[in-house]
C-alpha cells in the first residue's frame, strides 16, 4: 500500500507518493484560489501518471491549514471523502508550521498580515506586514511562505523548501478517518 503526502497550502505546494517510506514521485501544486476545482483532478492525474489508484493508498499526510477558509475546507473535504470511500485509508493532519524544523516560521495570511511562529512551543502570532518588517530586522534566516516583495527591504533569507521524508519522520502519526480544517483566524464571510 502507498502513502500520499499532500501540501496544497504552501505557495509552492506538492503532492508526493511514497512506498515503504521511500519517495517514488513528486509534483508541484499551485492551486491558490482554485483548491476546490483543481485539487481532485490534480491528485487523481498524479496518481494515474504513477499507475496508482486511490484504492491503493493506505495513508495520506495532509497539510490542513492555515490558509484561506475555502481552500482548507476544500482540502479537508477532499481527503475526508477519500477516507470515507476507502476503508483502509487513514489520515494524519499536519500544520503548515510542522513542515519546518527551524524558526521563525512565517506563513502569509492575507495581503496585509502574516502568521508567525517564533519558537517551537510558541503561540502563533498574527503580525501586520509593518510589524513583520520590524521583527525581521535582526533575523538572518526565516522559514515558510510569504511575499517578501511586500516588504520595503529584506535582509532576511527566506527558506521555503522542506524535505517530505524528514517532515514525516518528525510527525506523531495518526490513523484518523476524519480531519478538521486548521483555522487561526475566524472566517470573514457573512
Amino acid at each position: 500500500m502507498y502513502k500520499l503526502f499532500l501540501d496544497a497550502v504552501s505557495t509552492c505546494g506538492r503532492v508526493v507518493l511514497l512506498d515503504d517510506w521511500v519517495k517514488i514521485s513528486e509534483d508541484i501544486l499551485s492551486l491558490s484560489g482554485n483548491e476546490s476545482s483543481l485539487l481532485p483532478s490534480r491528485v487523481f492525474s498524479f496518481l494515474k501518471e504513477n499507475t496508482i489508484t486511490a484504492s491503493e493508498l493506505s495513508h495520506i499526510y495532509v497539510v490542513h491549514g492555515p490558509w484561506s477558509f475555502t481552500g482548507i475546507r476544500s482540502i479537508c473535504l477532499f481527503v475526508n471523502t477519500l477516507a470515507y470511500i476507502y476503508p483502509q485509508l487513514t489520515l494524519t493532519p499536519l500544520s503548515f508550521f510542522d513542515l519546518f524544523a527551524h524558526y521563525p516560521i512565517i506563513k502569509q495570511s492575507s495581503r496585509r498580515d502574516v502568521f508567525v511562529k517564533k519558537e517551537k512551543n510558541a503561540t502563533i502570532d498574527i503580525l501586520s506586514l509593518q510589524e513583520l518588517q520590524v521583527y525581521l530586522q535582526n533575523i538572518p534566516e526565516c522559514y515558510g511562505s510569504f511575499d517578501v516583495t511586500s516588504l520595503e527591504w529584506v535582509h532576511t533569507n527566506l527558506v521555503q523548501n522542506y524535505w517530505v521524508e524528514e517532515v514525516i519522520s518528525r510527525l506523531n502519526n495518526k490513523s484518523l478517518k476524519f480531519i478538521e480544517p486548521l483555522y487561526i483566524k475566524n472566517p470573514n464571510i457573512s
Side-chain angles (χ1 to χ4, degrees):
M1 291 289 219
Y2 299 96
K3 294 173 178 54
L4 195 71
F5 178 90
L6 180 60
D7 172 9
V9 168
S10 296
T11 304
C12 192
R14 53 178 107 167
V15 58
V16 178
L17 184 63
L18 303 136
D19 183 13
D20 200 24
W21 308 110
V22 176
K23 181 171 33 173
I24 298 173
S25 184
E26 180 173 359
D27 198 9
I28 301 299
L29 288 177
S30 293
L31 306 176
S32 183
N34 294 306
E35 295 88 350
S36 59
S37 61
L38 296 178
L39 182 63
S41 63
R42 290 291 306 275
V43 169
F44 289 132
S45 294
F46 174 76
L47 292 173
K48 186 175 180 178
E49 289 167 11
N50 288 282
T51 64
I52 304 293
T53 64
S55 64
E56 295 176 88
L57 295 175
S58 63
H59 197 79
I60 299 176
Y61 299 94
V62 60
V63 180
H64 68 130
W67 191 231
S68 71
F69 177 75
T70 302
I72 59 175
R73 285 185 51 90
S74 298
I75 293 163
C76 291
L77 179 62
F78 174 66
V79 297
N80 287 339
T81 301
L82 290 176
Y84 178 79
I85 293 170
Y86 302 106
Q88 81 288 354
L89 183 59
T90 56
L91 309 170
T92 294
L94 60 146
S95 160
F96 174 84
F97 299 97
D98 294 327
L99 298 176
F100 303 92
H102 304 285
Y103 298 85
I105 302 170
I106 303 170
K107 171 79 174 88
Q108 192 85 34
S109 170
S110 71
R111 286 184 224 139
R112 296 172 304 282
D113 55 28
V114 294
F115 300 120
V116 179
K117 188 166 185 179
K118 297 176 181 174
E119 299 172 355
K120 182 178 175 96
N121 295 318
T123 304
I124 297 167
D125 295 319
I126 301 171
L127 300 181
S128 70
L129 292 178
Q130 293 81 13
E131 292 169 321
L132 177 64
Q133 187 143 340
V134 170
Y135 172 70
L136 290 178
Q137 284 180 355
N138 298 314
I139 307 286
E141 189 167 76
C142 65
Y143 303 83
S145 176
F146 69 95
D147 181 10
V148 293
T149 64
S150 61
L151 302 177
E152 290 179 26
W153 49 262
V154 179
H155 298 289
T156 304
N157 181 38
L158 174 63
V159 177
Q160 297 185 63
N161 294 327
Y162 58 87
W163 299 104
V164 170
E165 298 90 340
E166 193 266 328
V167 171
I168 292 172
S169 73
R170 286 188 280 111
L171 284 177
N172 183 8
N173 288 330
K174 298 184 175 147
S175 292
L176 304 175
K177 294 298 288 178
F178 181 86
I179 62 169
E180 296 279 343
L182 172 62
Y183 300 119
I184 303 230
K185 292 179 170 181
N186 292 325
N188 60 357
I189 57 174
S190 29

